[in-house]
Every structure is written in structure tokens, then in C-alpha cells.
Amino acid sequence: NAGVTQTPKFRILKIGQSMTLQCAQDMNHNYMYWYRQDPGMGLKLIYYSVGAGITDKGEVPNGYNVSRSTTEDFPLRLELAAPSQTSVYFCASSPGQATYEQYFGPGTRLTVT
Amino acid sequence: AQTVTQSQPEMSVQEAETVTLSCTYDTSESDYYLFWYKQPPSRQMILVIRQEAYKQQNATENRFSVNFQKAAKSFSLKISDSQLGDAAMYFCAYRSNAGKSTFGDGTTLTVKP
């Protein structure tokens, strides 16, 4: 199993550009998450999904959009990138019960200049 | 909304000694799950230990144990016989029964040889 994969690993965007961060998991997990981690800080939940076709906002959803058309994929869309979105983005997945740990991808480092 | 507070931004411990990292949380839910994750410089998130709120017995995993005080909403992590490889950032995380997740801002642990 590849686990949770994220692409790209690094990206530099200009202010106002848009992009999609890709996340895929091959563990048949129902739950998927997107977090951002600013330097020296904890993870902030952007969006999460408890199954295909179901998404919900986290703590910091503004400026982002998600979709979940399949169990495996959970892309994160950034529209009109701003410097405040410079961060490391982590995708995670988990089996269908909250008792289970989250499995994290390696992260995407995004810089908006 | 749930909040997780880690009041110690940095901690240090001598190799082979014991250290305790603090975590408090706020929730109105009665059923939830708590986790400690470790993030070394590689950025990979690694599960250290988990605790189900309905269990009174404190979780242990080898050198890692927790002190879970549900009434006080406290969930501290004790690392015994500290090793150089324990140096990392440690995050306390709350997960609701519905799957929504909240992380603290982390504690950076330094292990001195």
C-alpha cells in the first residue's frame, strides 16, 4: 500500500493564481482531512470528509474548496492565492471510526509570493 | 467548538530521564478520543498513543503513558527513559465521535545527551 500520497511536494504560486493540491489514499478509508501547518504551529483543520459526496468545514475554510467524488481522492482547491496561504498542507485519512488514528501524507509546501 | 491547549511551547529533558507534556482541552461532548502525535524534523506525523474518553484506564505504549483526567479535561503525556530519538514536536489532538479533529499548537521536546 502507498498509504496517503500528496502532490506536488513543493509549489510556488503568484498572488491571485489558483491551484489544486492532490491527495489520494489506497486504504479504503472513509474519513479524509486537510490541514495547514504554519511555521512552528499546530495543524489547523481546513476541511474534512466522512465519505464520498460528504464534506464539511473545519476551523479555517476561507479561501479553499474541496470535493470528494470517490473514496480514494480528496483534492483541495485554492482560488485566488494570497500570501496568508503560505503554509505546509497535510492530507490525512482514517477508517470510519473516530477511535482510529489518522494516517498522514508527507505534506505539500506552498509559497505564495 | 472544541479547543486544545498545550501550555508548554518548549521542554527539555536529560537522556534517560522522565518528562511530562501537558495538554488540556475544552468540549461539551461526552464521547471523544484523544491522541498524541510526534512530528520529527522530517515532518512526518507519527501516532504515539491514543485514549478513548469512555475508558478510565490510562493508555500506555512501552515508554509512553498518559494521565487522562476527564473531569479536569486534561491529557498529559509521560515519556520515561527518554532517548535522543524522542526529540521532536509533540501534538495533542482531540477527535469527536463524528470525526472532526482539533490539534494543539505543539510542544518542542529537546533531549540532552
Side-chain angles (χ1 to χ4, degrees):
Chain A
N1 284 352
V4 179
T5 57
Q6 292 183 239
T7 55
K9 288 186 168 53
F10 305 94
R11 183 71 186 266
I12 298 174
L13 277 183
K14 293 190 184 304
I15 295 171
Q17 288 184 323
S18 300
M19 76 163 295
T20 299
L21 279 65
Q22 300 292 343
C23 174
Q25 53 92 8
D26 61 359
M27 298 173 282
N28 201 32
H29 286 172
N30 286 330
Y31 290 13
M32 294 189 76
Y33 302 80
W34 273 107
Y35 298 92
R36 59 175 288 172
Q37 184 179 28
D38 297 335
M41 303 297 288
L43 279 70
K44 300 295 184 189
L45 182 64
I46 305 171
Y47 273 95
Y48 69 108
S49 169
V50 299
I54 305 169
T55 61
D56 207 348
K57 295 179 181 178
E59 303 170 71
V60 290
N62 292 344
Y64 307 94
N65 276 301
V66 294
S67 60
R68 183 100 183 267
S69 56
T70 67
T71 299
E72 295 77 20
D73 301 298
F74 191 41
L76 177 71
R77 179 81 177 161
L78 278 73
E79 303 283 1
L80 298 175
S84 61
Q85 293 178 305
T86 294
S87 192
V88 177
Y89 291 82
F90 288 97
C91 179
S93 73
S94 177
Q97 289 150 325
T99 186
Y100 287 99
E101 69 186 276
Q102 294 176 59
Y103 294 78
F104 285 83
T108 294
R109 182 179 293 277
L110 176 68
T111 302
V112 182
T113 62
Chain B
Q2 294 82 22
T3 59
V4 176
T5 302
Q6 294 181 247
S7 59
Q8 306 154 316
E10 297 178 351
M11 291 284 284
S12 68
V13 63
Q14 208 69 34
E15 195 175 4
E17 297 291 306
T18 295
V19 65
T20 298
L21 308 184
S22 300
C23 173
T24 58
Y25 58 94
D26 190 26
T27 183
S28 59
E29 299 174 330
S30 59
D31 196 14
Y32 50 87
Y33 305 86
L34 297 165
F35 302 83
W36 278 98
Y37 287 88
K38 169 184 176 181
Q39 187 181 42
S42 67
R43 277 197 335 228
Q44 185 63 42
M45 296 287 285
I46 302 164
L47 176 71
V48 175
I49 198 164
R50 86 186 90 204
Q51 173 81 43
E52 293 88 346
Y54 63 83
K55 288 187 177 177
Q56 290 189 333
Q57 187 173 4
N58 289 325
T60 62
E61 286 286 343
N62 300 316
R63 298 183 294 108
F64 300 88
S65 62
V66 298
N67 184 3
F68 173 50
Q69 303 288 330
K70 190 172 184 179
K73 295 179 183 174
S74 171
F75 182 59
S76 61
L77 173 70
K78 185 170 83 170
I79 306 174
S80 304
D81 185 26
S82 297
Q83 301 175 359
L84 295 177
D86 294 333
M89 198 155 185
Y90 286 81
F91 293 100
C92 177
Y94 171 103
R95 193 158 169 204
S96 73
N97 209 26
K100 190 171 184 179
S101 181
T102 304
F103 280 72
D105 283 338
T107 296
T108 300
L109 178 66
T110 302
V111 181
K112 298 178 181 177

